[in-house]
Amino acid sequence: MANNYNGETFLNKVYKELYNSREVLQGYKNPSQKEKNIQEYMERLERLHKRVLDSPRENDLNLLKHFYYEKYVIKEDDIPDSCYNHQAEIALERGYGHINITESMKKEMASQVIEEQKKSLDYWLEYFLNEDSKMYPTWAKYWAFQGMLKLGSFDKSSHEFSRRTKGTTSPFVELNHEALALSIDTLLKYINKETIEDKELEKLIEKGVFGKIYAYEITLLDKIKKQESNTNDGIWIKYPQGSDHMKLVKAIEGKGTGWCTAGESTAETQLERGDFYVYYSYDLEGKPTIPRIAIRMEGNSIGEVRGVAEKQNLESDMEIIAEKKLQEFSDYPKYKEKVSDMKKLTKIYKEYQTRELTIEELRFLYEIDRKIVGFGYSKDPRIKEIINNRNIKKDLSLVFKCSENEIGTNINDIHNKKLICYYGDNLNLRLLTNAKRLVLPKIINCNLYLNSLTSAKGLVLPETINGDLVLNSLTSVKGLILPKVINGSLDLSGLTSTKGLVLPETINGALYLGGLKSAEGLVLPKTMNGSLFLDSLTSANGLVLPKTINGDLYLSGLTSAEGLVLPEIINGYLFLDSLTSANGLVLPKTINGSLFLRGLTSAEGLVLPETINGSLNLFSLTSAEGLILPETIKGSLYLYDLLSTEELVLPNNFECGYIVTGFDTIFPRDFYKYQKDIVEEEVNRKR
């Protein structure tokens, strides 16, 4: 059936009152211009999301997420009593007897329900705000996101989603990247009047209900049985940058990988950015047709590594094959720890039911010393599976050489003053306004939230925290004694002065000091193994930075480089967005992430690093005069405000993903032809 739709027409058909909604009519006075109003709304959304995506401030993303939480996540008052009663039934079934659900227990349960919904919504928000989804038009993302919000649980017998209501307490539906990519891909074909071979799917597209289409694609992927193979043997196939993306799509579509690359638009965009490698094992006919591992490149850097296990983690034994391939790339060292962790986890997974685990293996499994890192979108599900089949208190009593009653696994255990170690999802003490009578164990193996404490009076913190410590409301460090080691992040973003602050010797996560106006007296750890947030500093006076930062460095508020001595090594992003002049700026020779210099309007005095292993963002540069680029930018070069590329000169053998200006995206190999075409167009125009 032919159609005369564009994206806005399609949205107007599916969401009949969208054109007349409060959000769309904001700033507009003519509700009769349906498609125009929707189009302007989509443009407004796109500008907003792009501004958040381009922003170096994590808080901008958090504010946007908070807006969506407020709008779509269940409120405590809307949680039905049946939810609490169900928890009482579960407790009875597990042998805890009849329990009375108190108001404090309800609050804790409600908090868990809300947090789970936020986490599940984050997957969709972060994907649609991520570079990986930029190939989809905003109206298509809107269609998918709004459709997702209406979906309850998926019934595999009926192949349908239940309907989500105001009182639904379950998390939002799981994001299946492959099914989503195929759903949007088919919609775009329909809008563009391309042939859709699956007539049943075409009928669903005509009706425009996202849930029906998404369920159909999930069911198709589930129905396709992977051909069994008795071997992991296979071959790597390379799909070169700029090559025909349909070869890649045809090779993996219908194989149930879960990779968004199965969508044509996604595959095309990914191959524009770099090579793509897939490891195929042999099927029963001896042909390499079963995709098991994907390595996506961003220029010369590894963009991501994905498997076909749950959450796109690698399957057991695939880490050996992945490691051998990854060794061919220059940035393999960044992935070495992941490979090592997955080897250890695979060994434990295969053997934990048939033998006793060693103390070293238990420390690894329970992430006592550091987090286990893998290749998927989230934590490897095997960790939880193994731990759920074990006696946690017994394991940890062996690790810490104590009795089982000195191990806490539930927030109610925190009242036991004899606790040595607490192990749980999170120790959430957000509502605590003072530390009076608070006794914490020596070791906490999770995140500790003390968000509401404004004073450290009476606070005795654990000796070790193997997670994050959040004290973001503290306005004074008086009486604050921090642990020597924090194996997660430390949030002290409410501090405006460092007077008396003694930081831990080791912080293996991020350090948030975004409220500091001055660095006078600030003594930082010698090595930062995470990111360092000093967003509010306007001057580098008194700032002594570590020689190495193994994360991002946020100095977004600095207006002058005077006195600034940067680390010798930055293994993440460097944000210097408020600098309007490069005078006095001495950058490291190598930055292993992206460099943000968004405030510079001129390249005068700018000496860039020899190598940037991420992107270079010179958003506000209006002229390329005097700009000397590094020979290697492994990400992309952003010059949004550049008025002309006429003065832009690329180094010989210039390596770069692509060059983005306010009026075009250019691959370096096509740059000089592009300049020539611009000149010819100008000459022809004047004629």
Side-chain angles (χ1 to χ4, degrees):
M1 183 183 294
N3 72 76
N4 294 310
Y5 292 146
N6 57 27
E8 287 72 28
T9 309
F10 181 80
L11 285 184
N12 188 45
K13 176 193 173 188
V14 176
Y15 302 111
K16 298 186 184 300
E17 296 302 317
L18 176 61
Y19 79 96
N20 201 28
S21 64
R22 186 174 59 182
E23 291 89 350
V24 170
L25 290 180
Q26 182 184 350
Y28 305 107
K29 296 181 179 179
N30 192 345
S32 64
Q33 297 180 354
K34 298 182 180 181
E35 291 175 24
K36 185 176 186 297
N37 286 347
I38 293 173
Q39 181 184 2
E40 289 175 336
Y41 178 51
M42 291 301 116
E43 289 172 356
R44 198 159 76 245
L45 280 179
E46 187 170 2
R47 287 195 300 272
L48 169 64
H49 291 165
K50 187 176 184 304
R51 189 161 67 244
V52 170
L53 182 62
D54 290 341
S55 172
R57 294 182 61 85
E58 185 179 15
N59 193 47
D60 290 352
L61 176 59
N62 290 337
L63 285 172
L64 183 64
K65 283 183 177 180
H66 182 73
F67 167 79
Y68 282 106
Y69 295 158
E70 284 294 306
K71 194 166 185 180
Y72 300 119
V73 170
I74 194 169
K75 305 297 185 291
E76 185 176 339
D77 291 344
D78 294 327
I79 296 177
D81 288 337
S82 58
C83 173
Y84 305 122
N85 296 336
H86 181 59
Q87 295 302 314
E89 291 169 6
I90 291 173
L92 182 62
E93 290 170 3
R94 290 178 178 174
Y96 294 110
H98 294 280
I99 62 171
N100 293 319
I101 305 293
T102 64
E103 287 303 314
S104 63
M105 291 170 70
K106 282 186 176 182
K107 281 196 173 297
E108 183 63 28
M109 291 177 189
S111 175
Q112 290 175 356
V113 167
I114 290 168
E115 282 302 311
E116 286 302 314
Q117 286 201 2
K118 287 180 179 179
K119 285 179 188 175
S120 59
L121 191 61
D122 278 350
Y123 285 116
W124 291 86
L125 290 173
E126 288 170 6
Y127 179 69
F128 279 138
L129 287 169
N130 195 284
E131 288 283 316
D132 288 346
S133 68
K134 68 182 294 185
M135 75 294 296
Y136 301 137
T138 300
W139 65 263
K141 294 181 186 180
Y142 180 90
W143 168 75
F145 186 77
Q146 290 297 321
M148 175 278 296
L149 293 170
K150 296 178 174 64
L151 304 182
S153 57
F154 183 66
D155 187 333
K156 287 194 174 183
S157 58
S158 65
H159 310 301
E160 291 182 345
F161 285 100
S162 62
R163 185 165 183 80
R164 195 173 190 89
T165 66
K166 185 180 180 181
T168 299
T169 56
S170 60
F172 291 94
V173 297
E174 185 176 348
L175 170 57
N176 183 316
H177 292 79
E178 186 173 7
L180 176 64
L182 293 172
S183 299
I184 295 181
D185 223 50
T186 307
L187 173 60
L188 294 177
K189 284 183 179 178
Y190 178 71
I191 295 295
N192 294 327
K193 301 181 183 178
E194 297 176 28
T195 302
I196 299 173
E197 295 178 2
D198 188 328
K199 297 306 174 187
E200 186 175 348
L201 183 57
E202 186 176 27
K203 289 179 182 176
L204 292 175
I205 287 287
E206 286 171 1
K207 293 179 180 177
V209 181
F210 171 77
K212 297 284 186 185
I213 299 160
Y214 191 52
Y216 185 83
E217 295 290 6
I218 289 173
T219 303
L220 277 184
L221 293 172
D222 285 343
K223 281 182 179 178
I224 297 165
K225 295 180 179 178
K226 292 182 182 177
Q227 288 182 285
E228 293 294 330
S229 174
N230 296 323
T231 179
N232 287 331
D233 292 342
I235 61 171
W236 285 95
I237 293 179
K238 175 183 177 181
Y239 300 89
Q241 182 177 6
S243 63
D244 181 7
H245 65 283
M246 288 307 298
K247 289 183 179 179
L248 173 57
V249 172
K250 294 295 183 185
I252 66 172
E253 70 177 352
K255 299 293 175 64
T257 60
W259 303 337
C260 58
T261 312
E264 293 177 26
S265 304
T266 308
E268 184 176 16
T269 300
Q270 290 178 344
L271 279 177
E272 285 176 355
R273 298 180 183 179
D275 300 332
F276 201 103
Y277 298 85
V278 179
Y279 181 78
Y280 297 93
S281 59
Y282 298 116
D283 59 26
L284 292 176
E285 296 178 1
K287 297 177 181 178
T289 62
I290 305 173
R292 309 288 291 278
I293 309 170
I295 300 176
R296 179 180 64 79
M297 304 297 289
E298 285 275 356
N300 296 319
S301 300
I302 299 168
E304 61 182 354
V305 181
R306 296 286 183 250
V308 296
E310 188 178 342
K311 303 291 185 185
Q312 299 186 23
N313 281 286
L314 295 183
E315 304 160 279
S316 295
D317 297 329
M318 284 293 107
E319 66 276 351
I320 299 170
I321 294 166
E323 179 182 29
K324 190 174 179 181
K325 186 66 178 176
L326 289 170
Q327 288 174 346
E328 298 176 10
F329 304 106
S330 60
D331 49 351
Y332 163 66
K334 290 197 300 185
Y335 290 84
K336 196 172 182 178
E337 188 176 53
K338 291 186 178 186
V339 171
S340 175
D341 280 5
M342 291 301 97
K343 281 183 178 178
K344 288 180 187 176
L345 184 59
T346 295
K347 187 175 188 295
I348 293 171
Y349 186 70
K350 287 181 175 180
E351 300 174 1
Y352 80 95
Q353 290 180 319
T354 58
R355 67 169 176 86
E356 293 294 325
L357 297 183
T358 66
I359 297 298
E360 182 186 350
E361 287 172 328
L362 289 173
R363 293 187 76 92
F364 171 78
L365 179 65
Y366 286 96
E367 301 177 289
I368 301 299
D369 304 306
R370 63 174 180 81
K371 298 294 184 185
I372 298 172
V373 288
F375 291 98
Y377 271 100
S378 57
K379 189 180 287 292
D380 194 305
R382 292 177 295 175
I383 300 169
K384 187 175 181 180
E385 182 183 340
I386 298 168
I387 290 175
N388 284 348
N389 285 305
R390 298 188 66 78
N391 183 330
I392 296 173
K393 291 193 174 187
K394 181 181 177 182
D395 282 347
L396 293 176
S397 69
L398 291 171
V399 170
F400 296 110
K401 297 178 182 178
C402 64
S403 65
E404 290 185 28
N405 65 8
E406 291 174 306
I407 303 295
T409 56
N410 184 286
I411 194 166
N412 293 323
D413 293 337
I414 204 68
H415 301 297
N416 177 2
K417 295 182 180 180
K418 293 182 179 180
L419 277 193
I420 288 176
C421 173
Y422 179 87
Y423 181 93
D425 290 334
N426 284 312
L427 188 49
N428 189 341
L429 303 172
R430 295 173 188 267
L431 301 179
L432 202 67
T433 55
N434 69 74
K436 190 177 180 181
R437 292 194 292 273
L438 175 64
V439 180
L440 293 167
K442 291 181 180 179
I443 299 164
I444 290 181
N445 210 64
C446 63
N447 299 329
L448 173 58
Y449 294 98
L450 293 164
N451 303 61
S452 298
L453 286 188
T454 56
S455 166
K457 186 179 180 180
L459 177 63
V460 180
L461 289 165
E463 294 175 4
T464 301
I465 298 177
N466 291 317
D468 301 339
L469 172 58
V470 180
L471 290 161
N472 58 354
S473 294
L474 277 190
T475 54
S476 167
V477 299
K478 186 177 180 181
L480 178 65
I481 300 175
L482 292 165
K484 288 185 178 180
V485 177
I486 295 179
N487 284 315
S489 298
L490 173 59
D491 190 346
L492 293 168
S493 53
L495 291 183
T496 55
S497 169
T498 62
K499 188 177 180 181
L501 175 64
V502 179
L503 289 167
E505 294 174 5
T506 302
I507 300 174
N508 286 318
L511 173 57
Y512 295 87
L513 292 167
L516 289 185
K517 306 292 184 185
S518 167
E520 292 293 341
L522 176 63
V523 180
L524 293 164
K526 290 181 180 178
T527 300
M528 282 292 307
N529 288 319
S531 298
L532 176 57
F533 291 80
L534 293 164
D535 309 66
S536 297
L537 290 186
T538 55
S539 166
N541 290 339
L543 178 62
V544 180
L545 292 166
K547 289 186 177 180
T548 301
I549 293 183
N550 290 315
D552 304 332
L553 175 55
Y554 288 79
L555 293 167
S556 309
L558 283 189
T559 55
S560 167
E562 184 179 348
L564 177 63
V565 180
L566 289 165
E568 294 174 6
I569 299 172
I570 299 176
N571 284 320
Y573 290 9
L574 173 57
F575 294 91
L576 293 164
D577 291 317
S578 295
L579 289 185
T580 54
S581 167
N583 290 337
L585 178 62
V586 180
L587 292 163
K589 289 184 178 179
T590 300
I591 294 177
N592 287 316
S594 297
L595 173 58
F596 288 77
L597 291 164
R598 298 173 58 141
L600 291 186
T601 55
S602 165
E604 184 180 350
L606 178 62
V607 180
L608 290 166
E610 295 174 3
T611 301
I612 298 176
N613 287 317
S615 297
L616 173 58
N617 299 272
L618 295 165
F619 290 40
S620 301
L621 210 66
T622 55
S623 168
E625 184 180 358
L627 178 62
I628 301 174
L629 293 167
E631 288 193 1
T632 302
I633 299 174
K634 291 192 175 179
S636 299
L637 172 60
Y638 292 92
L639 296 161
Y640 284 140
D641 288 350
L642 198 65
L643 301 177
S644 167
T645 61
E646 187 177 347
E647 294 170 332
L648 183 61
V649 178
L650 304 186
N652 294 329
N653 304 315
F654 183 53
E655 290 185 39
C656 179
Y658 44 83
I659 303 166
V660 182
T661 67
F663 39 85
D664 219 333
T665 298
I666 316 150
F667 286 100
R669 63 175 180 268
D670 302 326
F671 178 70
Y672 290 111
K673 180 180 180 301
Y674 174 85
Q675 280 188 324
K676 184 180 176 184
D677 291 345
I678 292 292
V679 171
E680 289 178 357
E681 284 179 18
E682 183 65 16
V683 169
N684 290 334
R685 187 183 68 79
K686 288 180 178 178
R687 285 176 180 169

